[in-house]
Amino acid sequence: MTAGETIRGLLELTRPVNVIAASALPFIGAFVAGGVGDHSLAVAAAVAATGLAVGAGNAINDYFDREIDRINQPDRAIPRGAVSPRGALAFSLVLFAGAVALALTLPTAALAIAGINLVALVAYTELFKGLPGLGNALVAYLVGSTFLFGAAAVGDMGPAVVLFVLAAIATLTREIVKDVEDIDGDREEGLNTLPIAVGETRALQIAAALIVVGVVASPVPYLLGYFGVAYLLVVIPADAIMCYAAYESFEDPTAGQSHLKYGMFLAALAFVVGRAAVAMPAGL
């Protein structure tokens, strides 16, 4: 492999699109908390730390998953030989170190969240991924907690707590659907994921029930007075997309989990719109 191919492989390990998407979440959390303008350096540190940590987590996940990926994802960097397993591990450790250095500049609450999340990222694949539901729940917590992390970086978690809960529910649903999608490779590797443990149909029924819980809970920020009607105008279509995606997953898990992702981002946008509407000067 040439140096260029190795660099490309290392970049692929981080999942750049996922890194960019994940880095937006602490910014949203900080924005929802109303602290972006007054704490811009802390927000920048939280965003960068999240990006590095997610990239590191993806790289170390590929390191531990290299045998499964030879079946499920043979074109990934390690199975195709662009990056050696040892190189992927070393690269992930460098990224983790950068994330820790940035997190140390943040308030205590944000630092505590970062510490828990870094341990969870490392432990996920080796300890939790093959346990029915537990690995899914850990991923759901990690995604939701990025909103809390951004809010904690500016000192006020407030409505970001609700966003954390809703994001965790939506992510847990998507992770279950993804396990249904990957069931052949997971079974070959000997993992005991939720669809393997309880059956594909039962797992999808659990995923659909979770989405219903999230949809029912989604008006809470409006009912608590955090946001006004603008929030509802965006979150209702997000709810509709996620409900459809849960239904679609019974026939096509790949399309279902993809559409769940779109619904999740639209739901996060609802919080941004809600906060922006509240912050808008009266009369505008």
Side-chain angles (χ1 to χ4, degrees), residues 11-74:
L11 184 62
E12 287 178 14
L13 287 176
T14 67
R15 313 285 198 281
V17 173
N18 288 352
V19 166
I20 293 170
S23 297
L25 305 187
F27 180 85
I28 292 172
F31 182 81
V32 168
V36 172
D38 294 334
H39 302 86
S40 56
L41 290 179
V43 173
V47 168
T50 298
L52 290 172
V54 169
N58 286 333
I60 203 167
N61 182 68
D62 276 13
Y63 169 79
F64 285 121
D65 265 4
R66 57 192 183 276
E67 297 303 325
I68 299 176
D69 285 344
R70 294 187 198 282
I71 300 169
N72 286 340
Q73 304 285 348

Side-chain angles (χ1 to χ4, degrees), residues 112-152:
I113 294 171
I116 294 170
N117 288 5
L118 288 172
V119 172
L121 279 168
V122 174
Y124 165 67
T125 302
E126 191 67 5
L127 300 178
F128 293 99
K129 186 174 183 179
L131 299 178
L134 292 179
N136 304 131
L138 183 60
V139 171
Y141 158 76
L142 286 169
V143 172
S145 70
T146 55
F147 295 106
L148 283 183
F149 181 53

Side-chain angles (χ1 to χ4, degrees), residues 39-260:
H39 302 86
S40 56
L41 290 179
V43 173
V47 168
T50 298
L52 290 172
V54 169
N58 286 333
I60 203 167
N61 182 68
D62 276 13
Y63 169 79
F64 285 121
D65 265 4
R66 57 192 183 276
E67 297 303 325
I68 299 176
D69 285 344
R70 294 187 198 282
I71 300 169
N72 286 340
Q73 304 285 348
D75 290 333
R76 284 186 173 174
I78 296 176
R80 75 170 191 269
V83 180
S84 69
R86 182 177 296 181
L89 180 60
F91 181 58
S92 71
L93 293 176
V94 170
L95 296 179
F96 274 128
V100 169
L102 288 167
L104 289 172
T105 68
L106 299 174
T108 303
L111 181 59
I113 294 171
I116 294 170
N117 288 5
L118 288 172
V119 172
L121 279 168
V122 174
Y124 165 67
T125 302
E126 191 67 5
L127 300 178
F128 293 99
K129 186 174 183 179
L131 299 178
L134 292 179
N136 304 131
L138 183 60
V139 171
Y141 158 76
L142 286 169
V143 172
S145 70
T146 55
F147 295 106
L148 283 183
F149 181 53
V154 300
D156 181 14
M157 287 187 274
V161 173
V162 181
L163 180 53
F164 157 68
V165 173
L166 297 180
I169 289 173
T171 302
L172 180 54
T173 301
R174 182 169 176 262
E175 287 298 307
I176 293 172
V177 175
K178 284 174 63 181
D179 278 351
V180 172
E181 181 185 9
D182 293 339
I183 194 168
D184 290 338
D186 290 341
R187 185 180 282 121
E188 179 74 19
E189 187 63 20
L191 297 178
N192 189 27
T193 60
L194 190 64
I196 293 173
V198 305
E200 295 179 49
T201 299
R202 181 63 60 84
L204 290 170
Q205 288 171 345
I206 293 170
L210 287 167
I211 280 296
V212 171
V213 172
V215 168
V216 171
S218 64
V220 167
Y222 172 78
L223 297 175
L224 291 179
Y226 287 139
F227 306 132
V229 174
Y231 166 77
L232 290 179
L233 292 177
V234 182
V235 84
I236 289 173
D239 288 343
I241 290 172
M242 289 190 284
C243 286
Y244 172 75
Y247 169 78
E248 181 182 38
S249 297
F250 285 88
E251 294 294 329
D252 188 349
T254 300
Q257 65 94 0
S258 177
H259 291 147
L260 276 169

